[in-house]
Amino acid sequence: RESLQRRCTDLVAEAQAAGQLRTGRDPALLVHLAFSMSNSLVEWFRPDGTWSHREVVDALLELMLDGTRPHG
């Protein structure tokens, strides 16, 4: 798990340096938040519940990706 987090942190840092992701936030923090958000899904998501699988995936990706895109 730590190896995966390190690799993802490196990828976020590279994307920030290339201007593909917003800067000003620690890459490790962004990765930790993204993992925490997605890992908690198993606690509350139900296939027959309020939201479909697609709705949850779309909302999660929108929050994680649009929220980190550079402004401008």
Side-chain angles (χ1 to χ4, degrees), residues 14-63:
E14 290 171 19
Q16 284 177 323
Q20 296 168 328
L21 292 178
R22 185 181 308 168
T23 58
R25 294 281 181 235
D26 184 329
L29 174 60
L30 295 177
V31 169
H32 184 73
L33 290 170
F35 280 3
S36 295
M37 191 169 30
S38 58
N39 286 340
S40 73
L41 287 173
V42 298
E43 297 175 17
W44 58 266
F45 177 74
R46 298 289 173 261
D48 60 345
T50 303
W51 305 286
S52 70
H53 174 265
R54 177 55 34 206
E55 286 175 299
V56 172
V57 168
D58 288 347
L60 180 67
L61 289 175
E62 181 180 301
L63 209 73

